[in-house]
Amino acid sequence: MGRVILSDTVYLAVGLGALGAAVVPRLVFKRPFSTPMVFLAAGVLVAALPLPVPTVDPVRDRLWVEHVTELCVIVSLMGAGLALNRPFGLRAWGGPWRLLGLSLPLTIAGTALLAALLLDWPPALALLVAAVLAPTDPVLAAEVRVGEPTDAENDEDEVRFTLTAEAGLNDGLAFPFVLAALALATAAGDGWSADWIGRWLLVDVLGKIAVGVAMGLVAGRLLGMMFFRAQSNALRLSEHMEGFVALGATFVAYGAAELLHGYGFLAVFVTACTIRAAERSHGYHRVLHEFTEQIERLLTVCLLFLLGGYLVASGLQALTWQGALVGVLLVLVVRPAAGWLGLIGFAAGPREKAVTAFFGIRGIGSLFYLAYALGHTEAFEAHARQLWSVVAFTVLLSVVVHGAAATPIIRRLDRLRRSSPSPP
């Protein structure tokens, strides 16, 4: 009987969550808080009620957490790639390249140093938490990402474009640093060794990135030809305007890249950008993007609700003031400083650079990376609960700080941009 009641409760909760995912974004539009803030708070409030509410324990339910967060990330990567209107290029994508090549390593180094000094963690553990918290996640603040696909190639402002493209790429490029932490733990335990670096550079950095990019290009080209240029009407799927095809493209690219031992996250984003380039002005991109956005929103709402419940039930119990300080300094000092340094010399105004540097949002990707790492080694098992507490608190802090700041800051930036005279 109890199991039946629990099942019925889950159905009710999922139904209310799905309705809320449709209603809440319209209620909070142009207000100084975000949809993720609402559902995270809802999870906290429900878990705090004096009722036998079931909660997710990421240590106990690690495999479930890994796969659900993995699904959410790859769907969001497809949506991000489809949304970008700007054609790919070294100069046109200068902002994202700087954040990836300079700011990402600086953020990892700064966070690892904080973890080592404040938490007295060994090198591998400090590197792991730094790598896990490295990727940004603009899906948690809609104001700072680009909107739906349009016909215009250059209608995206630099802040939204740079943050969206950065998040699309760094979800894959943070993976080598997670694997570096695993390799270091295997080679040296709680100490330090350089024996792993050569293989890591060759296989985990160069090899897997190359496979991920190559698979994304191949999958994107083939799917683009199929969607828009196939001779058979049955294969030319752009004529039928079915949005769920985006999931097919996502899973094909991700699965093929992972089977070939490449980075599937990178492959999905490259696939999406390549499909977009195949027929840039076609309305089918909007259909695909809208479908992925809806799935992404449902998954994100579910995960943030469960995260709120976990924080109340047990997540904050293992959090020390030193662990909390690591999260605070990462969000408010390390990422903004690393972002600003990475953008020095970039052709953007100081306001745009400051906003881009500040909005290093941490989210679902961090939860996936930690679940993945803990499932691939026993070296960090003794620290699992403390790791989860630091990462979950940092995501909570990012959701609150960036969610509250996104609307007023971006709206002010838009007003200043419109009031400034256009360059000759």
Side-chain angles (χ1 to χ4, degrees):
M1 181 65 179
R3 184 172 297 179
V4 173
I5 294 175
L6 176 60
S7 175
D8 293 340
T9 303
V10 169
Y11 279 120
L12 175 62
V14 172
L16 292 174
L19 293 172
V23 174
V24 171
R26 293 165 176 81
L27 295 177
V28 304
F29 183 62
K30 293 186 177 181
R31 289 178 170 83
F33 50 92
S34 64
T35 301
M37 291 173 65
V38 172
F39 283 96
L40 189 60
V44 169
L45 291 174
V46 170
L49 294 174
L51 299 172
V53 179
T55 58
V56 172
D57 183 340
V59 177
R60 180 193 65 215
D61 306 315
R62 186 206 60 79
L63 189 62
W64 181 90
V65 172
E66 177 184 343
H67 290 307
V68 176
T69 53
E70 180 182 35
L71 176 61
C72 185
V73 171
I74 61 176
V75 171
S76 69
L77 290 174
M78 176 59 66
L82 290 171
L84 293 174
N85 301 319
R86 189 178 304 185
F88 180 83
L90 293 178
R91 183 179 295 274
W93 285 47
W97 296 139
R98 287 170 175 271
L99 291 178
L100 294 167
L102 297 174
S103 300
L104 178 65
L106 287 174
T107 301
I108 292 174
T111 308
L113 182 61
L114 287 175
L117 293 177
L118 293 174
L119 296 167
D120 195 27
W121 280 356
L125 192 61
L127 178 58
L128 176 65
V129 76
V132 162
L133 290 171
T136 56
D137 196 351
V139 67
L140 296 187
E143 286 287 341
V144 300
R145 63 176 180 177
V146 300
E148 63 182 14
T150 67
D151 295 339
E153 294 182 354
N154 298 304
D155 67 342
E156 299 155 336
D157 68 87
E158 198 61 50
V159 171
R160 289 184 176 92
F161 168 77
T162 298
L163 288 171
T164 304
E166 179 203 10
L169 287 166
N170 74 9
D171 267 318
L173 296 181
F175 227 132
F177 296 97
V178 174
L179 296 181
L182 299 180
L184 176 57
T186 301
D190 290 342
W192 171 261
S193 170
D195 296 340
W196 57 275
I197 294 178
R199 185 183 185 280
W200 173 74
L201 285 173
L202 183 63
V203 176
D204 295 333
V205 178
L206 298 177
K208 292 189 175 184
I209 287 177
V211 172
V213 172
M215 179 50 61
L217 290 171
V218 170
R221 290 281 181 88
L222 293 176
L223 290 171
M225 292 172 59
M226 174 183 172
F227 291 173
F228 303 106
R229 299 187 181 89
Q231 296 298 317
S232 169
N233 183 63
L235 294 177
R236 196 167 60 254
L237 296 178
S238 61
E239 300 295 325
H240 306 288
M241 293 292 185
E242 293 172 326
F244 69 85
V245 170
L247 286 183
T250 302
F251 295 154
V252 164
Y254 186 76
E258 290 292 320
L259 285 173
L260 294 174
H261 304 290
Y263 292 127
F265 286 174
L266 201 54
V268 170
F269 183 73
V270 174
T271 296
C273 293
T274 307
I275 291 174
R276 183 68 200 279
E279 193 72 34
R280 192 167 295 278
S281 62
H282 201 288
Y284 190 44
H285 296 300
R286 188 172 300 176
V287 175
L288 296 173
H289 175 264
E290 183 177 346
F291 185 85
T292 58
E293 186 178 34
Q294 291 172 350
I295 300 299
E296 170 193 299
R297 194 189 311 167
L298 286 171
L299 291 170
T300 302
V301 161
C302 174
L303 287 169
L304 289 175
F305 181 85
L306 294 174
L307 177 64
Y310 160 68
L311 287 167
V312 171
S314 61
L316 295 180
Q317 295 175 9
L319 184 68
T320 63
W321 71 265
Q322 295 96 333
L325 186 57
V326 169
V328 170
L329 291 176
L330 167 63
V331 171
L332 300 181
V333 179
V334 175
R335 158 62 194 211
W340 180 266
L341 289 173
L343 293 171
I344 290 177
F346 180 56
R351 289 191 298 261
E352 284 76 8
K353 290 179 183 178
V355 173
T356 303
F358 173 71
F359 280 105
I361 303 169
R362 270 55 195 169
I364 306 303
S366 295
L367 304 180
F368 164 76
Y369 278 127
L370 183 54
Y372 174 91
L374 293 176
H376 284 75
T377 183
E378 296 180 355
F380 306 122
E381 187 174 348
H383 298 274
R385 293 206 174 272
Q386 194 174 8
L387 280 165
W388 275 112
S389 70
V390 172
V391 172
F393 171 78
T394 305
V395 173
L396 166 67
L397 179 66
S398 181
V399 168
V400 173
V401 171
H402 294 124
T407 296
I409 289 179
I410 295 298
R411 290 183 70 187
R412 176 169 173 77
L413 192 65
D414 288 341
R415 287 196 301 270
L416 291 172
R417 188 184 299 111
R418 287 192 296 266
S419 63
S420 300
S422 301

